[in-house]
Amino acid sequence: MYFSRFFVPLYPLNVKNMKIEQQIEQAAMAAVKALYGQEVPEKMVQLQKTRSEFEGSLTLVVFPFVKMARKSPEQTGQEIGQYLVDNCEAVSKFNVVKGFLNLSIADAAWLNLLADIDKDDHYGEKTANEGSPLVMIEYSSPNTNKPLHLGHVRNNLLGWSLAQIMQANGNKVVKTNIVNDRGIHICKSMLAWLKWGNGETPESSGKKGDHLIGDYYVAFDKHYREEVKELMAQGMDEEKAKQEAPLIKEAHEMLVKWEQNDPEVRALWEKMNSWVYAGFDETYKKMGVSFDKIYYESQTYLKGKAKVEEGLAKGLFERHEDNSVWADLTNEGLDQKLLLRSDGTSVYMTQDIGTAEMRFQDYPIDKMIYVVGNEQNYHFQVLSILLDRLGFKWGKELVHFSYGMVELPNGKMKSREGTVVDADDLMQLMVDDAYKTSMELGKFDDMTEEERREIARIVGMGALKYFILKVDARKNMLFNPEESIDFNGNTGPFIQYTYARIRSILRKANPIQVEGVMKAVELSTKEVELIQKMSEYGAAVEQAGKDYSPSGIANYCYELTKVFNQFYHDFSILNEPDEQKKAVRLMLAKNVAKIIKNAMALLGIEVPERM
């Protein structure tokens, strides 16, 4: 009953990111030994941030020590509290609420903590060393028959941010992409270009290569639907019409030729794919994401087939009468999974096995994370079992970073019908909206046009990224561009504007010497709250890494920004007459800006020096 009423966790404190906490933990253990003659393990000392309605900064849970004391929770709390005031420099006073000992921290301890934060340019983040685990993260996974769209935007932003978060937790990280560059869908675009392209190229049309190829994918579907409709009008049922339509038959013939290495088909495939890759590279650059290694399905599917054949020889899989190869997963509570069709061709699972084989040869992977939508949950459950059977050491602990779909207010998107919102158009819309909104608010009045365009890019992309990443990745989400470009509330521009405001303050301030004055300043409650919030950054980073949660970092950024703005509303910095207080407040502002910049960087978001 007491725990549910009073003990509300903010961030778990298994990370010793505060020297203050370490001091109190050690002093609390000493208190129990001195007062009750009992040695207690560190894990029994439960410290948490004090709830806002009570006085204090940290709260010690007294209940674990009540039996040792043989006294009431209140009496036990009073005795331990008095011991801490008498023996721990960090504790200035205390109060007891039932079994909770609320501790007020001495100003000198907070100022020492602020000095520690100031010394470390990447406070709260860890650096990888030679023995650090290697985490490989796969994201993006585009098809070469269409441009990247809104769904890819969420995928890429999540993957990139997750890579930064894992790195900030001390891991070595390899960012990887698997390009779906083969299959019937690729042949559809190729065939349509041959039939109706008249030799059109990105240069002759002025279109990005991925957009050009996407147009032909849509064109194929349009003509194919017309053929199906015509066959149905002649009396054929829909399913048979879809199989007998001349276009789909030609596409299948082209796929067979591709598999047989037909030189003309392969040359066309390479040419059209090169157009797409040039387009993708441009989009990735605008999005601010990149990869350390790119794999291609055209290079991995044969390796997958070989690995399946190897597993078949070892008795891990079984061949059916029609020559198809299957994995029996019934002992795992699943069904049977097709690995090779009767004609020997591969399926997606086979290709993923082949890609895993190549990656395992290229890198000593300790953990593999796949950033793929939640419609593939079953696929990755099966893949994990199969990779484990085949001897990949990370197979069993494979992580499927499963995320929900993203939609616009006007509904779902369909690539075949040309109704997708492509990434390039969306990003340009965001930058244009940022420019327009900033102009209307008068934020660009004293800037050159070049500065306006650059800040509009930073703000527009920051709005897009933050709006997508602040949502729990597991949830479906509705992306509303208008809501994302707002300079108030839980948005990227609000956080960016706070950063720019702090940088403006620091530019106006004369350099102030802070050495020697830090211990002499009396801190307000708002200043203490701000130092405490900054100190929680390391715990937020670690939790985001454990949960694979960019939204945890986004929410921390917003909380820190709110706390700073509340402080800034109540206290002057530049006009503070007391030079010592001014020095401390400038140091506070400087370090808030530093942590905002570092935390936003984990989300792939830039912050402008002025807005």
Side-chain angles (χ1 to χ4, degrees), residues 563-577:
V563 174
F564 175 81
N565 280 301
Q566 289 163 3
F567 154 74
Y568 188 67
H569 178 270
D570 292 349
F571 295 93
S572 173
I573 297 178
L574 295 177
N575 295 325
E576 169 55 53

Side-chain angles (χ1 to χ4, degrees), residues 137 142 238 283 285 325 367 419 440 605:
I137 302 176
E238 185 179 1
T283 304
K285 187 177 180 182
V325 177
K367 185 182 288 291
T419 59
E440 289 172 351
I605 298 174

Side-chain angles (χ1 to χ4, degrees), residues 387-438:
L387 292 179
D388 183 56
R389 282 191 190 180
L390 289 166
F392 294 94
K393 66 174 184 177
W394 44 265
K396 203 167 192 176
E397 295 177 3
L398 167 161
V399 175
H400 174 205
F401 182 81
S402 174
Y403 64 89
M405 296 298 99
V406 55
E407 296 174 6
L408 289 166
N410 58 0
K412 294 184 179 180
M413 306 173 294
K414 295 180 182 177
S415 299
R416 293 187 306 275
E417 297 172 16
T419 59
V420 299
V421 175
D422 75 73
D424 294 310
D425 288 348
L426 178 61
M427 289 189 288
Q428 192 57 53
L429 171 69
M430 297 299 296
V431 173
D432 291 345
D433 282 357
Y435 184 92
K436 181 183 172 185
T437 302
S438 297

Side-chain angles (χ1 to χ4, degrees), residues 436-463:
K436 181 183 172 185
T437 302
S438 297
M439 286 292 282
E440 289 172 351
L441 294 173
K443 295 185 181 297
F444 283 168
D445 289 351
D446 60 342
M447 296 184 189
T448 66
E449 185 61 18
E450 186 180 359
E451 285 178 306
R452 292 170 182 170
R453 293 293 172 190
E454 176 62 5
I455 291 173
R457 181 193 67 78
I458 292 172
V459 173
M461 290 304 299

Side-chain angles (χ1 to χ4, degrees), residues 546-586:
K546 285 181 177 178
D547 297 341
Y548 309 115
S549 175
S551 64
I553 298 298
N555 292 332
Y556 173 84
C557 285
Y558 179 54
E559 289 170 8
L560 177 60
T561 303
K562 279 197 304 182
V563 174
F564 175 81
N565 280 301
Q566 289 163 3
F567 154 74
Y568 188 67
H569 178 270
D570 292 349
F571 295 93
S572 173
I573 297 178
L574 295 177
N575 295 325
E576 169 55 53
D578 186 316
E579 288 299 313
Q580 292 184 334
K581 285 186 177 180
K582 182 193 266 189
V584 170
R585 288 175 190 173
L586 283 168

